[in-house]
Amino acid sequence: GESVGLHLPTLSVQEGDNSIINCAYSNSASDYFIWYKQESGKGPQFIIDIRSNMDKRQGQRVTVLLNKTVKHLSLQIAATQPGDSAVYFCAETYSGYSTLTFGKGTMLLVSP
Amino acid sequence: NAGVMQNPRHLVRRRGQEARLRCSPMKGHSHVYWYRQLPEEGLKFMVYLQKENIIDESGMPKERFSAEFPKEGPSILRIQQVVRGDSAAYFCASSPPAWDGHYNEQFFGPGTRLTVL
């Protein structure tokens, strides 16, 4: 069940470090996954996506890894910068279904 | 191309009043989604609409909440007789029509923060 009122998991890193944010997804039928970044007071912003026929996808400074066996998704951010400080959400969906199911989120704090 | 627009950005209502939240999708997008976000939680799907049609409202509370996306004008999320538990951020997203069963990226608006006193 859901827990209400718990603080978000927080990852604190130093500027320049690599960050890894993890997500466990729930639906074994999901075949499309997205990472979103949400800064304070703003809407979610698309970072990177991956389809279930891949296990790794790279973008600019970000990499998403997908392990379908254990239903696990991770987001790796290289050379983390203070501007990367935000809450990061994974989201899942499946072909033929348009709505997203979001995970609970991880707060990333980057100190200079 | 302007992004998804939502207004108002902040809305304060007293218990029992009505709240109307508006969402204008990106140009060329005919699909609109509404999500609700409680503090320190992820977004929860509420309703999915296309022009003049509700496609999926499985996430909408059965009472007091309604949504529409008319042929002309923005999508409206309406909450009647608001209660304190309705206080949350409400986000709208839009996407172009999907094709071949593939998923199209949803672009999110800045949200409306509803506070019920």
Side-chain angles (χ1 to χ4, degrees), chain B residues 41-107:
Chain B
E41 293 197 7
L43 282 72
K44 297 290 194 291
F45 166 74
M46 299 181 73
V47 62
Y48 163 37
L49 310 104
Q50 295 177 20
K51 287 283 188 182
E52 301 183 281
N53 283 307
I54 296 175
I55 306 303
D56 181 352
E57 56 181 348
S58 59
M60 285 277 271
K62 294 288 184 269
E63 299 178 348
R64 301 188 298 108
F65 285 72
S66 62
E68 62 177 8
F69 188 17
K71 186 177 181 181
E72 301 291 338
S75 175
I76 306 286
L77 178 67
R78 182 184 179 203
I79 311 172
Q80 295 178 288
Q81 300 173 348
V82 296
V83 301
R84 288 213 174 109
D86 296 332
S87 295
Y90 292 82
F91 290 95
C92 167
S94 73
S95 72
W99 55 275
D100 292 339
H102 287 192
Y103 176 82
N104 275 324
E105 179 184 342
Q106 294 182 19
F107 295 82

Side-chain angles (χ1 to χ4, degrees), chain A residues 2-8 32 34 36 38 41-44 46 51 89 93 95-100 102-104, chain B residues 9 31 33 35 37 40-45 48 56 58 91 98 101-103 105-111 113:
Chain A
E2 293 185 356
S3 297
V4 176
L6 293 179
H7 294 296
L8 285 171
Y32 183 67
I34 311 156
Y36 283 94
Q38 187 178 26
K42 297 184 179 180
F46 174 94
R51 295 191 184 275
F89 293 98
T93 189
S95 297
Y97 185 67
S98 294
T99 63
L100 296 169
F102 281 81
K104 288 192 180 299
Chain B
R9 295 292 309 276
H31 297 211
Y33 312 80
Y35 294 83
Q37 184 178 35
E40 297 198 346
E41 293 197 7
L43 282 72
K44 297 290 194 291
F45 166 74
Y48 163 37
D56 181 352
S58 59
F91 290 95
H102 287 192
Y103 176 82
E105 179 184 342
Q106 294 182 19
F107 295 82
F108 283 83
R113 278 145 188 85

